[in-house]
Amino acid sequence: MPIEAEDELERALLEVRSLIESTVAIHRDRSHRAQQIATVEGGYRAVLDTAAALIRSAVRSIDIVHARMPGAEEQEPGLSEFAERRLIYGAAETISVRLLTNPSMIDEDFVREQLAKERPVAIRVARVPPLQALLVDGTTALVVAESATGVRASVIREPKVVFTLGSLYESVWRNAVPASERIVFGDRDRAALAQQILGALRAGVTDEVAARELTVSVRTYRRHVAEIMAMLGAQSRFQAGVRAAELGLLRPARPGPGGGPGA
């Protein structure tokens, strides 16, 4: 995702957090607060149970953001179970399901499994800030996010907040990359080779040097480059690098001898 889009997303998330907290404050002394924004008590097991119940209640659509908070596993031992398989399998077959996840959290086996389904879960990848969210039918949301008092889970039915969450989701979804495109390189050996070649392209090394480092002929190396470009739908090596960065396929550049980026 472009830097501008990431900045916009960060600002939108801050707006959503502010909306949630201000709405809680507004309804703090009102009897119908529980119908607007309700904190999920009872730890992460209660969050999972709440998510499962919301998914079973869906009649049209389910949108999921699966981007875990750093270090949350230590705070909540069951957090990793807030995963696409555990949640999505509870949805009726007629429900439209979309999953938005971080590059580091993509479940490649799950993606391949969906490719074989008649009504697959639509999965896209974006550099989403730490957030877990579930939107059901555009009317109810379950959000697990950082707040002023720490990580908090809330069931939200306040229309303004739900609308903002839905708009944010649509904006990120439009710019996200289909997960099926991110795993085009196949098995681990092919993926490792592709990453080495992409690294060589990013570093700008010559074909001769890159081929020598990979212990292949220049002709073979150029064939691999052509295959990678085709899989990425790129018309040039530069475009292949840009596309690979969008998909989260490039490894961080290694420091050079002077401490700066190197090949």
Side-chain angles (χ1 to χ4, degrees):
M1 179 183 294
I3 294 176
E4 294 81 0
E6 291 187 24
D7 291 342
E8 181 180 351
L9 178 56
E10 292 280 5
R11 289 194 296 271
L13 285 175
L14 289 173
E15 179 184 349
V16 169
R17 182 188 303 173
S18 176
L19 274 171
I20 292 173
E21 293 181 350
S22 63
T23 304
V24 168
I26 290 171
H27 295 288
R28 180 173 289 117
D29 300 320
R30 300 183 184 182
S31 61
H32 68 282
R33 176 194 167 198
Q35 299 174 1
Q36 301 293 315
I37 296 183
T39 300
V40 178
E41 306 287 356
Y44 211 80
R45 179 60 55 186
V47 173
L48 295 176
D49 292 342
T50 301
L54 287 173
I55 284 175
R56 288 194 298 270
S57 72
V59 296
R60 295 190 307 277
S61 64
I62 297 171
D63 292 331
I64 298 173
V65 179
H66 183 46
R68 192 176 308 153
M69 283 71 72
E73 296 90 340
E74 290 72 33
Q75 300 170 21
E76 290 284 357
L79 183 60
S80 60
E81 295 184 42
F82 193 92
E84 51 268 28
R85 295 189 186 191
R86 172 70 185 271
L87 295 175
I88 294 171
Y89 288 164
E93 292 185 0
T94 56
I95 305 299
S96 170
V97 182
R98 298 187 298 180
L99 171 66
L100 189 62
T101 188
N102 268 338
S104 62
M105 298 185 66
I106 189 171
D107 185 335
E108 296 187 0
D109 290 337
F110 184 73
V111 174
R112 293 189 180 95
E113 179 182 314
Q114 295 306 309
L115 293 175
K117 288 181 174 291
E118 183 177 347
R119 292 179 62 88
V121 172
I123 308 170
R124 292 192 179 185
V125 181
R127 299 192 181 281
V128 185
L131 176 71
Q132 304 265 79
L134 171 69
L135 286 80
V136 176
D137 295 333
T139 60
T140 306
L142 171 63
V143 177
V144 184
E146 293 283 351
S147 71
T149 57
V151 177
R152 181 172 64 194
S154 304
V155 175
I156 304 169
R157 294 186 174 86
E158 207 286 325
K160 184 178 180 180
V161 179
V162 175
F163 176 80
T164 300
L165 284 169
S167 299
L168 170 61
Y169 194 97
E170 292 297 336
S171 175
V172 178
W173 184 264
R174 284 194 299 270
N175 292 293
V177 176
S180 57
E181 295 182 16
R182 189 179 183 276
I183 60 173
V184 293
F185 297 132
D187 61 34
R188 290 184 179 180
D189 290 340
R190 284 173 57 91
L193 175 63
Q195 286 189 327
Q196 287 180 284
I197 293 173
L198 287 168
L201 294 178
R202 173 178 58 187
V205 301
T206 64
D207 289 357
E208 290 74 17
V209 171
R212 186 165 59 250
E213 290 182 350
L214 294 173
T215 64
V216 298
S217 68
V218 174
R219 181 177 180 181
T220 299
Y221 175 78
R222 289 172 176 167
R223 176 168 55 80
H224 286 320
V225 171
E227 290 173 352
I228 290 172
M229 288 174 57
M231 286 189 288
L232 293 173
Q235 302 300 314
S236 68
R237 294 186 174 197
F238 175 78
Q239 190 178 29
V242 172
R243 188 64 168 157
E246 291 174 347
L247 294 170
L249 294 171
L250 288 173
R251 294 172 177 169
R254 293 175 297 175

